Amino acid sequence: MQFQQPQNHQNIETGMVPPQLNHGGHEMFDVHEVLAGAINTIDTYTMLSGHVQDPELRDIMQRQKQFMADEYNITLECFKSGQDPSKPTQSYKMKQGNDFTYGMKPSQPKKPMQSTAEINDEFISQCMLNAVKAGATVKTNAALESTNPVVRRVLADSLPNCIEMAYEISLYQNKHGYYQVPQLPRQDMTQMQNSYAPAMVQSQTPGNMMPH
C-alpha cells in the first residue's frame, strides 16, 4: 500500500509542525492504546503458547503472533516518524476454509476456572479471539481520530487483518465444538432478507445534472 506523504503542517499557536509531530491529541492517546493493546495481545499469545495441545491451534497462534509483531513495528515506525514506514503493510492470509457448522447441541454449562490446571485449547482460543476483537475496536477508533494520513492508513489497513484473524479463530473453535452457531428459523431469515429493497441510483451524466 502506497501512502500519502505528509508535509509540514501549521499550528496556529506554535508555528510549523514537523512530520514526526503531525498528530492530534486524540490521535496520540488512541494510537498509544493501539500499541499498548498490541503488546498485550502478543504477550498473551506468548504466555499461553506453552499450554497449547493441538498442533493446528499452535500453528494459528504462531502465524498470527508473527504477523502481529510485524504490524506493530510498522505502526510504531510511522507513528514516531509521521512518514511512510520502511516496508508496506501486508494482508493476513488464513489457512482455514470458510465452512461453518450451524446449529446447537447439548453441552456442559461454562463456568470460571478453579485453577490453572484447567487451561485447555478451548480457553486459549477464546483468549485469542477476545484479544483480536478488542484490537479491531481500538484500531477503528484510532483510525477515525487520526489526523496523520500515514498513521490513519496503516490503522485502516490493519482492520481487515483483525477481522481475518478473528474469523480464523472462530472457524477453528466451531470445527472443534467450542463455538456453536445458532440460526433463526428459515421462514424468519427469509422474511428478514426480503424486508429490504435496492436503492434507486441515478447516473451522474451531463444531461441529467442539476444546474447550479
Side-chain angles (χ1 to χ4, degrees):
M1 174 65 69
Q2 294 296 317
F3 303 104
Q4 177 184 348
Q5 189 68 18
Q7 301 175 350
N8 289 354
H9 290 274
Q10 182 76 22
N11 183 307
I12 60 174
E13 298 173 300
T14 60
M16 295 302 294
V17 180
Q20 65 267 28
L21 297 180
N22 283 342
H23 307 290
H26 288 291
E27 177 183 351
M28 292 294 293
F29 289 122
D30 286 352
V31 177
H32 171 82
E33 188 172 355
V34 167
L35 295 172
I39 291 175
N40 184 69
T41 298
I42 294 169
D43 288 350
T44 297
Y45 275 48
T46 300
M47 179 179 65
L48 294 173
S49 62
H51 298 278
V52 176
Q53 298 297 318
D54 185 2
E56 182 183 9
L57 181 60
R58 182 177 295 109
D59 178 66
I60 293 172
M61 175 179 280
Q62 290 173 345
R63 286 187 292 105
Q64 290 193 357
K65 178 184 172 183
Q66 181 58 47
F67 190 93
M68 289 176 193
D70 191 55
E71 198 170 60
Y72 165 83
N73 287 336
I74 291 174
T75 307
L76 176 62
E77 182 184 353
C78 70
F79 181 56
K80 294 177 73 172
S81 70
Q83 303 183 63
D84 283 0
S86 56
K87 61 183 296 185
T89 56
Q90 304 293 322
S91 296
Y92 181 77
K93 305 297 183 184
M94 67 179 188
K95 291 183 178 180
Q96 298 273 12
N98 298 310
D99 296 328
F100 263 98
T101 299
Y102 296 95
M104 304 289 291
K105 62 181 181 180
S107 61
Q108 290 296 320
K110 297 185 184 302
K111 60 182 179 180
M113 293 189 302
Q114 298 300 308
S115 74
T116 56
E118 298 179 55
I119 293 177
N120 55 23
D121 290 342
E122 179 177 3
F123 168 79
I124 292 169
S125 63
Q126 190 60 46
C127 289
M128 293 166 61
L129 183 60
N130 290 342
V132 171
K133 284 184 174 181
T137 300
V138 295
K139 288 174 183 176
T140 300
N141 291 336
L144 292 170
E145 295 291 346
S146 292
T147 55
N148 185 288
V150 176
V151 172
R152 184 189 68 83
R153 178 51 57 193
V154 167
L155 292 169
D157 286 348
S158 178
L159 296 178
N161 296 326
C162 293
I163 295 169
E164 195 79 352
M165 289 182 188
Y167 193 57
E168 181 177 39
I169 298 167
S170 64
L171 280 163
Y172 170 84
Q173 290 181 313
N174 178 253
K175 182 169 67 174
H176 291 272
Y178 305 151
Y179 172 42
Q180 300 191 64
V181 184
Q183 281 193 312
L184 295 174
R186 179 169 298 185
Q187 179 179 350
D188 292 346
M189 285 196 287
T190 302
Q191 182 174 341
M192 293 184 71
Q193 289 174 325
N194 294 332
S195 62
Y196 299 92
M200 300 299 294
V201 180
Q202 295 183 346
S203 58
Q204 294 294 320
T205 59
N208 64 10
M209 292 185 69
M210 297 294 291
H212 293 289

